[in-house]
Amino acid sequence: MTAPTSLPLPVATALPSADCDAPRSLTPRHSIRPQRFSVPPGAWDTHAHVIGPFERFPLQKNRSYTPPESREPDYLRHLSTLGLQNGVIVQPSIYGTDNRLTVEVTRRGGESLRGVVVLGPEADEPMIAGMHAAGIRGFRINLLFQGGPGLELLERAAALTAAFGWHAQLLIDIRMLPEIAPRLECLPVPVVFDHMGHFPYELGTNWAGFRTLLRHVSAGRTYVKLSGSYRLSRRPTHVDDVAPIAQALIHEAPERMFWGSDWPHVGLFDGMPCTGELLDALAHWCPSEEIRKMILVRNPNSFYL
């Protein structure tokens, strides 16, 4: 068991000019090393965002929140502090389909960083090939925040990227999953769901959307990120609140689970989680050291590399 060690993480706090009235997100807290377990070598954080500098990468005006800068060096320190070696940079809604920053950071990261972008209607095979060479491995559709295309581009993006081995990453509330499940079943690419399906934890595990998610996970080609517990529950007890959900997913198919920090926790306006405690949560949800190694190392190695 690792002793709790506080390691300050300098995080840039610059904000863009007031170009829209979107509410301002909180600045992420300092992380601490996980207290419940030793992180295995080669572990991944499969969900994080890099933001700024704003003078080079301005935010789009059509956005749901205004975050502080959380730059590439800050994220790399975050990884090191948590004892992780690899990360997946996910295009945030605040940048829409301007993927320059995500691609640039991922390219610089080499084998230790992978990326997920947001594709617009202009996307074509040469664009996908260039992004793939830079380490991009998936496209994202975000229905919960302003800033990108919706499901109207799902099938086209999947067809464009299938030959490159990409996946479709969905940020949706899975209360809509039974409605769109037939479309997902026809895609030529795997599907990854952000934040355990992003639904109110009070719904529990015995309702149509979650049962549909479990069926898809069990059948294969569907993966879930064990991340964003504070997005399912706004309470300080969010890790405990979502435990039955996380445990049901892990029990169903541990080989198709990932862990992600969701750093720098954008879109939060009252209460910022400690990222180290979010990694601790995995040990709470999953006591098995062997299964944790699968989730943190083996699964992302086989999926992103």
Side-chain angles (χ1 to χ4, degrees), residues 225-242:
K225 293 187 179 181
L226 303 170
S227 59
S229 55
Y230 50 85
R231 299 192 185 278
L232 283 71
S233 168
R234 297 289 184 178
R235 307 195 314 164
T237 56
H238 55 87
V239 169
D240 289 324
D241 292 342
V242 307

Side-chain angles (χ1 to χ4, degrees), residues 210-232:
F210 193 74
R211 290 196 302 269
T212 302
L213 178 60
L214 289 180
R215 284 198 300 272
H216 278 244
V217 166
S218 179
R221 297 183 69 250
T222 297
Y223 298 76
V224 177
K225 293 187 179 181
L226 303 170
S227 59
S229 55
Y230 50 85
R231 299 192 185 278
L232 283 71

Side-chain angles (χ1 to χ4, degrees), residues 114-116 131-139 164-167 303-305:
R114 289 292 183 258
V116 175
M131 289 180 168
H132 187 81
I136 303 303
R137 293 296 183 266
F139 68 91
F164 294 89
W166 285 22
H167 62 275
F303 194 78
Y304 290 104
L305 291 180

